[in-house]
Amino acid sequence: MDRTIDGAVRLQADRDEIFDRLTDYPRLVEWLPGVESVRVLAREGDIVVAEVAAPGLGAPNVVFELVHSPPTLAQFTRVDQYRGEGTSGTWELTTDDDGVELRIQLRPGPNFSGARGRKRLRAGLEQALEAIRRGLEKAAAHPETEDEEEGRRKILEVTRHGDTVVVWHRGKVFELPCRAEDD
């Protein structure tokens, strides 16, 4: 019996930008719903050990070892479980004429050995993929504005996105509906 759980989502962004956002662990809290904090415990080349606080992961904090193969692949293993037999898997970015697809394959650890555990893990994966899609779309709609401008950091930027005025002020984003007089 195949114990892997697969999921995929189509993303509307550049593959390299997606890879950079997915591997910038401390900044996941800025755009990925459900992630409360990420602390990088160790980094050596393309290997990262990170502690993630996300209630949806089933524990207050979980520790992952991630091995990156830029710009398309990362392997991960939950390493804070008994004998290191935690849930593991890969995520991969594939590109075709229609854009970029994020594919995730999970291999459940001992905590998900039964049918109920795998069903719960599959539902969590589907929710995570949708959150990643929404988060990346939101991040793309609000590009980074912490660049240097004439030797000073920008502290304010106002842009228009569809029917919304987006105000970035000192790292916080505010979205306001457009009014007739805004045109």
Side-chain angles (χ1 to χ4, degrees):
M1 175 171 93
D2 185 18
R3 292 181 29 99
T4 62
I5 297 171
D6 299 304
V9 66
R10 179 128 331 249
L11 303 170
Q12 300 301 318
D14 177 68
R15 182 196 67 195
D16 294 337
E17 178 185 337
I18 294 169
F19 187 88
D20 291 344
R21 287 194 182 276
L22 289 173
T23 58
D24 187 358
Y25 300 107
R27 297 190 74 184
L28 291 178
V29 300
E30 296 174 12
W31 64 269
L32 188 56
V35 177
E36 294 177 353
S37 70
V38 178
R39 187 169 57 119
V40 173
L41 304 175
R43 181 183 301 263
E44 187 174 321
D46 287 331
I47 300 173
V48 175
V49 177
E51 180 181 46
V52 180
L57 295 176
N61 295 318
V62 293
V63 179
F64 290 101
E65 178 185 62
L66 302 112
V67 180
H68 304 132
S69 297
T72 60
L73 181 70
Q75 298 177 334
F76 57 90
T77 303
R78 183 171 173 191
V79 294
D80 62 338
Q81 293 178 313
Y82 181 67
R83 290 189 288 193
E85 297 175 2
T87 298
S88 63
T90 59
W91 60 257
E92 181 176 14
L93 297 169
T94 59
T95 307
D96 59 25
D97 293 337
D98 295 328
V100 179
E101 185 174 65
L102 171 61
R103 296 180 184 163
I104 298 180
Q105 183 178 70
L106 298 175
R107 288 177 294 287
N111 291 351
F112 299 98
S113 59
R116 278 183 49 194
R118 285 192 303 280
K119 184 177 179 180
R120 193 177 72 198
L121 193 58
R122 181 178 308 283
L125 175 59
E126 290 170 6
Q127 290 174 349
L129 287 168
E130 182 58 24
I132 289 168
R133 185 191 61 74
R134 283 191 319 268
L136 285 171
E137 285 177 359
K138 183 177 180 182
H142 308 294
E144 301 296 327
T145 56
E146 294 183 17
D147 57 340
E148 296 291 324
E149 185 177 89
E150 298 177 23
R152 299 182 312 255
R153 284 179 59 124
K154 276 188 186 178
I155 61 169
L156 175 67
E157 183 174 290
V158 179
T159 58
R160 186 171 180 159
H161 183 71
D163 293 334
T164 306
V165 174
V166 180
V167 179
W168 178 88
H169 181 255
R170 295 187 185 267
K172 293 186 176 142
V173 177
F174 306 92
E175 294 184 35
L176 309 165
C178 289
R179 300 178 309 209
E181 58 265 21
D182 291 336
D183 293 326

